[in-house]
Amino acid sequence: MEWYLELSSFEKTYWIVTGISTLFFLFVLISTFIGADTDDIGDVDVEIEADTGVGFQFFTFKNLVAFFTIFGWIGLASLEAGNSKTTTIIISIFCGLLMMFVMAAMFYYISKLTSSGTLKMQNALNAIGEVYLTVGANRSKIGKVQVKIQGALRELEALTDYKEDLKQGNVIKVIDVTNNGILIIEPQK
C-alpha cells in the first residue's frame, strides 16, 4: 500500500478505474466461458418468425467493461511512459473507444454468420434448374426438379403450363410458386 500512497491523485484514479474494470472484465470472461450469460428461458415449444439480428450494438455492458479496462491499462502505461495528463487521457479514450468498436463489430459480424436454414420458396423465383422426374404438360402430373436455392441444390415438386411434358434433363426456369410450395416451371430457352 505504500506505493499507492505515493501516487498522485490522477494516478490513483487510473488505478481505481483499472482495478474495478479488470475485476468486472474477469467476471464477464469467466461467466462467458461457463455459460452464465445465456438467455435460456427453459423448454419452450414455439415457432417465431422474425428478424433476430442484433444489429450493430455499440453501448453494451461487455463493451463498456472492455472500454474501461483498456482505458485504465493504456492510461497507466501512458503515465509510466512519461506522457502528460492530457496526452494520457486522449490516448486512453481513443484506445477504449477503439476496443468498443472492435468488439461491437465482432459481435455484429458473428451474428450475421447464423442462418435459420428455413427454405423460403419465393427465393426459387427465376432460378434455373433441371428436370429430375418428368413434369406433365398443362399441370397434368407433378414432377420433380433440381434447383439451387439459398446456396443449396434442392429437389422440389413442380408443375408446368407448357403444352408438352418436360422430361428428365430438360433445363427449366421457375416462373411462380404456388401457395402450397409447388414450383411452376417453363422450359429455359
Side-chain angles (χ1 to χ4, degrees):
M1 287 304 287
E2 193 173 306
W3 69 271
Y4 184 77
L5 296 174
E6 294 175 5
L7 297 174
S8 69
S9 61
F10 188 73
E11 291 173 315
K12 286 180 183 177
T13 304
Y14 261 93
W15 273 107
I16 291 170
V17 168
T18 304
I20 292 171
S21 61
T22 300
L23 287 175
F24 273 108
F25 178 78
L26 291 173
F27 173 74
V28 168
L29 185 67
I30 291 168
S31 66
T32 299
F33 280 125
I34 64 171
D37 68 340
T38 61
D39 296 328
D40 189 11
I41 56 173
D43 187 19
V44 178
D45 189 15
V46 177
E47 185 174 329
I48 301 171
E49 186 172 328
D51 180 16
T52 58
V54 294
F56 190 82
Q57 295 181 345
F58 193 70
F59 293 104
T60 63
F61 179 70
K62 287 180 182 180
N63 282 355
L64 290 175
V65 168
F67 171 84
F68 284 110
T69 303
I70 296 299
F71 173 87
W73 285 112
I74 294 294
L76 290 173
S78 179
L79 287 171
E80 188 68 27
N83 292 329
S84 69
K85 291 179 182 180
T86 306
T87 304
T88 298
I89 291 172
I90 291 170
I91 291 172
S92 299
I93 290 173
F94 175 76
C95 290
L97 289 174
L98 182 64
M99 184 63 179
M100 284 180 73
F101 178 76
V102 167
M103 285 187 61
M106 183 177 66
F107 284 116
Y108 173 76
Y109 287 114
I110 287 173
S111 73
K112 293 295 183 187
L113 292 175
T114 63
S115 73
S116 69
T118 303
L119 177 62
K120 294 183 180 160
M121 296 302 287
Q122 294 303 317
N123 291 339
L125 289 176
N126 298 317
I128 306 296
E130 185 177 328
V131 176
Y132 180 69
L133 293 176
T134 302
V135 180
N138 297 315
R139 297 190 186 195
S140 62
K141 176 183 165 193
I142 294 178
K144 292 201 175 197
V145 295
Q146 291 181 334
V147 180
K148 189 172 185 177
I149 306 172
Q150 296 172 207
L153 186 63
R154 310 275 183 160
E155 184 179 298
L156 301 168
E157 294 182 332
L159 290 170
T160 187
D161 292 325
Y162 196 62
K163 295 172 183 50
E164 298 175 18
D165 288 352
L166 298 176
K167 307 263 186 213
Q168 181 179 7
N170 289 128
V171 178
I172 55 90
K173 179 179 181 179
V174 178
I175 58 171
D176 198 11
V177 178
T178 65
N179 290 338
N180 56 354
I182 297 175
L183 305 179
I184 307 298
I185 60 171
E186 66 180 17
Q188 177 65 29
K189 298 171 183 167

